[in-house]
Amino acid sequence: MSTTAMVQADRVSKSFGSNNVLRSISLEVQTGEVLCVVGPSGSGKSTFLRCINHLEKIDAGRLFVEGQLVGYRQKGGKLHELRPKEAAIQRRDIGMVFQRFNLFPHMTALENIIQAPMRVKRIPKAQATLRARELMERAGLGDKADHYPAHLSGGQQQRVAIARALAMDPKLMLFDEPTSALDPELVGEVLDVMKELATSGMTMIVVTHEMGFAREVADSIAFMDGGVVVESGPPRELLGNPQQERTKAFLSKVL
């Protein structure tokens, strides 16, 4: 495998009991690329994403971010899991946006964004606040800094969640179906922020059902089903001329 990739998955497997959720997944995402992962529910997409920042432990294989083994250190041919504190340090550089916004309800939008930079990176409050306001402007939320989550729409809350992840200056952003909990008319405002982020050169892995977004923004698309990557390639090829019958069947229902 190349050493320049931002993310390298090498035969990654994961089971929950007798359920084999990931079966020897291998793929690469280069720095600055956007990978969209599509497929039916239960195909292992979200689990794979959670393995990349060690929110889930893998059972076999290796995962690397910028050439660094995720969640483990290798000693004498054996893998030893990192202590929680060490894993948390690795995780600092990987932003993650979930289906649910997970904002602190007792904090304003601005307070939600500055917490991690202040606590984890020890950034002074004034500096963190300045950066948070920049990110809120970028997300179209310049006038919402003092609003509490309960007074924001779902789309606004998700944009705050994206700004919160970006406040840590991650080198990689993971999105786990970021629009699936939103009302249809709010989806576009979140996708617009993600498109702008992709244009700026951020490396992104996006689990999504938004095929139009995948077609427009992705450098490559991976179609997963049954815990395997059935097929992957550039959007034009995978969406326009899929090679596998399973891919064809899936796309015939969603395009």
Side-chain angles (χ1 to χ4, degrees):
M1 285 196 163
S2 74
T3 54
T4 55
M6 175 63 78
V7 179
Q8 297 171 296
D10 179 17
R11 294 167 295 181
V12 170
S13 296
K14 170 71 181 175
S15 297
F16 295 106
S18 60
N19 183 15
N20 297 323
V21 182
L22 300 176
R23 303 164 186 256
S24 199
I25 299 271
S26 292
L27 53 78
E28 287 191 0
V29 182
Q30 303 301 322
T31 300
E33 279 190 350
V34 178
L35 168 69
C36 283
V37 185
V38 303
S41 295
S43 57
K45 307 183 301 293
S46 294
T47 299
F48 176 62
L49 213 60
R50 291 171 65 85
C51 288
I52 293 172
N53 63 359
H54 203 56
L55 289 175
E56 297 286 358
K57 301 176 187 180
I58 63 176
D59 297 326
R62 303 278 193 280
L63 263 168
F64 301 87
V65 172
E66 260 192 345
Q68 186 179 13
L69 196 58
V70 173
Y72 300 88
R73 72 165 55 84
Q74 192 158 337
K75 215 174 181 181
K78 281 192 169 180
L79 288 185
H80 302 271
E81 190 175 4
L82 297 181
R83 293 194 292 271
K85 206 169 189 177
E86 294 171 308
I89 289 170
Q90 274 193 342
R91 212 174 278 133
R92 280 194 320 206
D93 294 328
I94 305 173
M96 185 148 185
V97 178
F98 300 87
Q99 294 178 32
R100 296 286 167 187
F101 325 122
N102 298 340
L103 299 179
F104 297 116
H106 61 290
M107 294 182 184
T108 64
L110 184 74
E111 288 167 343
N112 265 280
I113 296 169
I114 65 176
Q115 283 305 302
M118 287 169 55
R119 286 170 178 251
V120 179
K121 289 194 163 181
R122 300 280 186 259
I123 291 173
K125 185 174 182 179
Q127 186 182 335
T129 300
L130 191 65
R131 173 75 171 136
R133 289 190 182 280
E134 285 173 6
L135 290 167
M136 292 194 76
E137 285 290 342
R138 188 173 166 186
L141 296 166
D143 59 342
K144 303 296 183 188
D146 298 325
H147 287 55
Y148 288 90
H151 300 136
L152 298 172
S153 71
Q156 289 167 339
Q157 289 186 62
Q158 191 61 296
R159 284 184 281 154
V160 171
I162 293 172
R164 179 179 60 181
L166 291 174
M168 290 292 283
D169 289 319
K171 56 193 176 189
L172 168 67
M173 284 286 287
L174 308 176
F175 293 87
D176 187 9
E177 299 192 26
T179 58
S180 66
L182 300 179
D183 292 332
E185 66 267 25
L186 301 177
V187 168
E189 64 191 42
V190 173
L191 293 181
D192 284 345
V193 173
M194 293 170 63
K195 286 175 191 173
E196 191 271 330
L197 192 56
T199 305
S200 75
M202 175 63 74
T203 312
M204 297 162 56
I205 302 179
V206 185
V207 171
T208 185
H209 293 293
E210 301 292 337
M211 304 305 288
F213 172 84
R215 176 185 273 121
E216 183 181 346
V217 177
D219 295 291
S220 60
I221 298 177
F223 169 62
M224 283 184 67
D225 189 33
V228 301
V229 175
V230 177
E231 189 170 352
S232 64
R236 182 177 292 179
E237 290 177 18
L238 189 124
L239 299 179
N241 187 27
Q243 300 301 302
Q244 302 297 323
E245 290 304 321
R246 183 65 191 94
T247 316
K248 292 176 185 175
F250 174 77
L251 292 176
S252 72
K253 294 187 177 74
V254 299
L255 291 181

CSV table of all heavy atoms in Angstrom, one decimal, residues 2 9 15 20 26 37 49 58 67 82 84 110 116 120 157 161 164 174 183 193 203 218 226 229-230 232:
chain,number,residue,atom,x,y,z
A,2,SER,N,0.4,2.3,-0.6
A,2,SER,CA,1.2,3.5,-0.7
A,2,SER,C,1.3,4.2,0.7
A,2,SER,O,0.4,4.0,1.5
A,2,SER,CB,0.5,4.5,-1.7
A,2,SER,OG,-0.6,5.1,-1.2
A,9,ALA,N,-7.1,1.3,4.7
A,9,ALA,CA,-7.7,0.2,5.4
A,9,ALA,C,-7.1,-1.1,4.7
A,9,ALA,O,-7.2,-1.2,3.5
A,9,ALA,CB,-9.2,0.2,5.2
A,15,SER,N,-16.7,-7.9,13.9
A,15,SER,CA,-17.9,-8.7,14.2
A,15,SER,C,-18.5,-8.2,15.5
A,15,SER,O,-17.8,-7.8,16.4
A,15,SER,CB,-17.5,-10.2,14.3
A,15,SER,OG,-17.0,-10.7,13.1
A,20,ASN,N,-20.9,-10.8,11.2
A,20,ASN,CA,-19.7,-10.3,10.6
A,20,ASN,C,-20.1,-9.0,9.9
A,20,ASN,O,-20.6,-9.0,8.8
A,20,ASN,CB,-19.1,-11.3,9.6
A,20,ASN,CG,-18.7,-12.5,10.3
A,20,ASN,OD1,-18.1,-12.5,11.4
A,20,ASN,ND2,-18.9,-13.7,9.7
A,26,SER,N,-10.5,-3.4,2.3
A,26,SER,CA,-9.3,-2.7,1.9
A,26,SER,C,-9.6,-1.6,1.0
A,26,SER,O,-10.3,-1.8,0.0
A,26,SER,CB,-8.3,-3.7,1.2
A,26,SER,OG,-7.9,-4.7,2.1
A,37,VAL,N,-19.3,6.8,0.7
A,37,VAL,CA,-19.6,5.4,0.9
A,37,VAL,C,-21.1,5.2,0.9
A,37,VAL,O,-21.8,5.9,1.7
A,37,VAL,CB,-19.0,4.9,2.2
A,37,VAL,CG1,-19.3,3.4,2.4
A,37,VAL,CG2,-17.5,5.2,2.4
A,49,LEU,N,-16.8,3.5,9.4
A,49,LEU,CA,-16.4,4.9,9.7
A,49,LEU,C,-15.9,5.0,11.2
A,49,LEU,O,-14.9,5.7,11.5
A,49,LEU,CB,-17.6,5.8,9.5
A,49,LEU,CG,-17.3,7.3,9.0
A,49,LEU,CD1,-16.6,7.3,7.7
A,49,LEU,CD2,-18.7,8.0,8.9
A,58,ILE,N,-11.3,-3.0,15.8
A,58,ILE,CA,-11.4,-3.9,14.8
A,58,ILE,C,-10.9,-5.3,15.3
A,58,ILE,O,-10.1,-5.4,16.2
A,58,ILE,CB,-10.5,-3.5,13.5
A,58,ILE,CG1,-9.1,-3.3,13.9
A,58,ILE,CG2,-11.1,-2.1,13.0
A,58,ILE,CD1,-8.2,-2.9,12.7
A,67,GLY,N,-0.3,7.2,7.7
A,67,GLY,CA,0.7,6.3,7.9
A,67,GLY,C,0.8,5.8,9.4
A,67,GLY,O,1.7,4.9,9.7
A,82,LEU,N,-3.9,0.8,22.2
A,82,LEU,CA,-3.5,2.0,22.9
A,82,LEU,C,-4.4,2.2,24.1
A,82,LEU,O,-5.6,1.8,24.1
A,82,LEU,CB,-3.7,3.2,22.0
A,82,LEU,CG,-2.8,3.3,20.7
A,82,LEU,CD1,-3.0,4.6,20.0
A,82,LEU,CD2,-1.3,3.1,21.1
A,84,PRO,N,-6.8,4.4,26.5
A,84,PRO,CA,-7.8,5.4,26.1
A,84,PRO,C,-7.3,6.8,25.9
A,84,PRO,O,-7.7,7.5,25.0
A,84,PRO,CB,-8.8,5.3,27.3
A,84,PRO,CG,-8.7,4.0,27.8
A,84,PRO,CD,-7.2,3.6,27.7
A,110,LEU,N,-22.0,28.9,20.1
A,110,LEU,CA,-20.6,29.3,20.2
A,110,LEU,C,-19.9,28.5,21.3
A,110,LEU,O,-18.8,28.0,21.1
A,110,LEU,CB,-20.5,30.8,20.5
A,110,LEU,CG,-19.1,31.4,20.6
A,110,LEU,CD1,-18.5,31.5,19.2
A,110,LEU,CD2,-19.1,32.7,21.3
A,116,ALA,N,-14.0,22.1,23.0
A,116,ALA,CA,-12.9,21.1,22.7
A,116,ALA,C,-11.6,21.8,22.5
A,116,ALA,O,-10.6,21.4,23.1
A,116,ALA,CB,-13.3,20.2,21.5
A,120,VAL,N,-9.1,20.5,25.2
A,120,VAL,CA,-8.2,19.5,24.7
A,120,VAL,C,-6.9,20.1,24.2
A,120,VAL,O,-5.8,19.6,24.5
A,120,VAL,CB,-8.9,18.7,23.6
A,120,VAL,CG1,-8.0,17.6,23.0
A,120,VAL,CG2,-10.2,18.0,24.1
A,157,GLN,N,-28.4,23.1,13.6
A,157,GLN,CA,-27.7,22.3,14.6
A,157,GLN,C,-26.6,21.5,14.0
A,157,GLN,O,-25.5,21.4,14.5
A,157,GLN,CB,-28.7,21.4,15.4
A,157,GLN,CG,-29.6,22.2,16.3
A,157,GLN,CD,-30.4,21.2,17.2
A,157,GLN,OE1,-29.9,20.4,17.9
A,157,GLN,NE2,-31.7,21.2,17.0
A,161,ALA,N,-22.6,21.5,14.5
A,161,ALA,CA,-21.8,20.3,14.7
A,161,ALA,C,-20.6,20.2,13.8
A,161,ALA,O,-19.5,19.8,14.2
A,161,ALA,CB,-22.7,19.0,14.6
A,164,ARG,N,-18.1,22.7,15.0
A,164,ARG,CA,-17.4,22.2,16.2
A,164,ARG,C,-16.3,21.2,15.8
A,164,ARG,O,-15.2,21.3,16.4
A,164,ARG,CB,-18.5,21.5,17.1
A,164,ARG,CG,-17.9,20.9,18.4
A,164,ARG,CD,-19.0,20.3,19.2
A,164,ARG,NE,-19.7,19.2,18.5
A,164,ARG,CZ,-20.7,18.5,19.0
A,164,ARG,NH1,-21.1,18.7,20.2
A,164,ARG,NH2,-21.2,17.5,18.3
A,174,LEU,N,-14.9,12.9,9.0
A,174,LEU,CA,-15.8,11.7,8.8
A,174,LEU,C,-17.2,12.2,9.0
A,174,LEU,O,-17.5,12.8,10.0
A,174,LEU,CB,-15.4,10.6,9.8
A,174,LEU,CG,-14.0,10.1,9.9
A,174,LEU,CD1,-13.8,9.1,11.0
A,174,LEU,CD2,-13.5,9.6,8.5
A,183,ASP,N,-35.2,17.2,8.1
A,183,ASP,CA,-36.3,17.4,7.2
A,183,ASP,C,-35.7,17.7,5.8
A,183,ASP,O,-34.7,18.3,5.6
A,183,ASP,CB,-37.2,18.6,7.6
A,183,ASP,CG,-37.9,18.3,8.9
A,183,ASP,OD1,-38.1,17.1,9.2
A,183,ASP,OD2,-38.2,19.3,9.6
A,193,VAL,N,-22.5,23.4,2.9
A,193,VAL,CA,-21.3,23.6,3.8
A,193,VAL,C,-20.3,22.5,3.5
A,193,VAL,O,-19.1,22.7,3.5
A,193,VAL,CB,-21.7,23.6,5.3
A,193,VAL,CG1,-20.5,23.6,6.2
A,193,VAL,CG2,-22.6,24.8,5.6
A,203,THR,N,-9.8,16.4,3.4
A,203,THR,CA,-10.0,15.0,3.1
A,203,THR,C,-11.2,14.6,3.9
A,203,THR,O,-11.4,14.8,5.1
A,203,THR,CB,-8.8,14.2,3.6
A,203,THR,OG1,-7.6,14.8,3.2
A,203,THR,CG2,-8.8,12.8,3.2
A,218,ALA,N,-17.8,13.8,-4.8
A,218,ALA,CA,-16.9,12.7,-4.5
A,218,ALA,C,-15.8,12.6,-5.6
A,218,ALA,O,-16.1,12.8,-6.8
A,218,ALA,CB,-17.6,11.4,-4.4
A,226,GLY,N,-23.3,-6.1,2.7
A,226,GLY,CA,-23.0,-7.3,3.4
A,226,GLY,C,-21.6,-7.3,4.0
A,226,GLY,O,-20.9,-8.3,4.1
A,229,VAL,N,-16.7,-4.2,0.3
A,229,VAL,CA,-16.8,-3.2,-0.7
A,229,VAL,C,-17.1,-4.0,-2.0
A,229,VAL,O,-16.2,-4.7,-2.5
A,229,VAL,CB,-15.5,-2.4,-0.8
A,229,VAL,CG1,-15.6,-1.4,-2.0
A,229,VAL,CG2,-15.3,-1.6,0.5
A,230,VAL,N,-18.3,-3.9,-2.5
A,230,VAL,CA,-18.6,-4.6,-3.7
A,230,VAL,C,-17.9,-4.1,-4.9
A,230,VAL,O,-17.5,-4.8,-5.8
A,230,VAL,CB,-20.2,-4.6,-3.9
A,230,VAL,CG1,-20.6,-5.3,-5.2
A,230,VAL,CG2,-20.9,-5.2,-2.7
A,232,SER,N,-15.9,-0.1,-6.3
A,232,SER,CA,-15.6,1.3,-6.1
A,232,SER,C,-15.0,1.9,-7.3
A,232,SER,O,-14.5,1.2,-8.2
A,232,SER,CB,-14.6,1.5,-4.9
A,232,SER,OG,-13.4,0.9,-5.2
